[in-house]
Amino acid sequence: MSLPKIKSTTVCAVVHNGQVAIGADGQATMGNTVAKSNVRKIRKLQDGKIVLGFAGSTADAFTLMERFDEKLGAFKGNMKRAAIELAKDWRMDRYLRRLEAMMIVANKEEVLVISGTGDVLEPDNGVATIGSGSMYAQSAALALKKHAPNLTAKEMVEESLHIAADICIYTNHNLIVEALD
């Protein structure tokens, strides 16, 4: 008998008016039960120059975060190159292939989504989301970018995550948001 994994979350990143913000809710779910409500799913790397958010199995996400940090060191902080190399390893390595998580990474210039299928995606519209409430947060962020351009990237992330938390049972209102400007 296998135990249910701890997972489910929403992570949202927005690039807007020269700012980048990334945030996540704090809920960790085990099966249909809230296991913890204040998990910190946003981490700073490279002395705060890069911010990372993760969704999926927590242990798997930490493994990938450590590997990504190693790649950043190997490629002198080049985020895109580190992301591509991590995605290649993730796809080809037997151990890494079994990991169930996704990440959004951001620096002052760009946001990338890294998946276990070997994808490194740079969103066309300046919005990246992952996790169980990602489509709710993405819809909200896109609407805010279009209809409330006076908001900061951080405010857009916060409001998008609150909207997702109102709709998605696997997302809560305990937010952590980091901005790079």
Side-chain angles (χ1 to χ4, degrees), residues 14-162:
V14 171
V15 179
H16 183 69
N17 290 340
Q19 302 171 326
V20 176
I22 184 170
D25 74 307
Q27 185 164 305
T29 308
M30 187 178 298
N32 294 327
T33 305
V34 175
K36 189 169 178 169
S37 65
N38 61 348
V39 178
R40 185 171 177 83
K41 302 168 194 169
I42 303 295
R43 297 283 193 268
K44 289 184 174 182
L45 304 173
Q46 298 282 302
D47 297 320
K49 294 178 190 141
I50 294 176
V51 183
L52 175 144
F54 59 84
S57 171
T58 305
D60 292 355
F62 274 97
T63 299
L64 292 167
M65 183 178 62
E66 289 169 4
R67 292 282 182 111
F68 181 65
D69 200 25
E70 289 171 9
K71 297 290 183 190
L72 284 168
F75 295 105
K76 297 178 177 49
N78 183 328
M79 186 178 80
K80 191 175 276 185
R81 177 79 191 272
I84 291 167
E85 293 302 321
L86 175 65
K88 285 170 35 179
D89 288 354
W90 194 351
R91 179 134 172 103
M92 298 179 74
D93 184 276
R94 275 186 175 172
Y95 170 73
L96 291 178
R97 239 189 332 231
R98 293 189 177 112
L99 299 181
E100 297 178 13
M102 290 183 75
M103 297 189 309
I104 296 176
V105 296
N107 62 19
K108 286 183 179 183
E109 291 84 39
E110 61 191 343
V111 172
L112 303 171
V113 177
I114 309 170
S115 78
T117 58
D119 294 320
V120 176
L121 305 170
E122 185 173 3
D124 292 334
N125 51 23
V127 174
T129 60
I130 57 174
S132 55
S134 65
M135 291 299 104
Y136 308 118
Q138 182 174 358
S139 298
L142 290 171
L144 290 169
K145 281 184 68 119
K146 184 175 182 179
H147 299 289
N150 56 312
L151 296 178
T152 66
K154 185 175 182 178
E155 290 168 332
M156 288 181 181
V157 167
E158 289 170 345
E159 189 58 29
S160 297
L161 288 169
H162 280 302

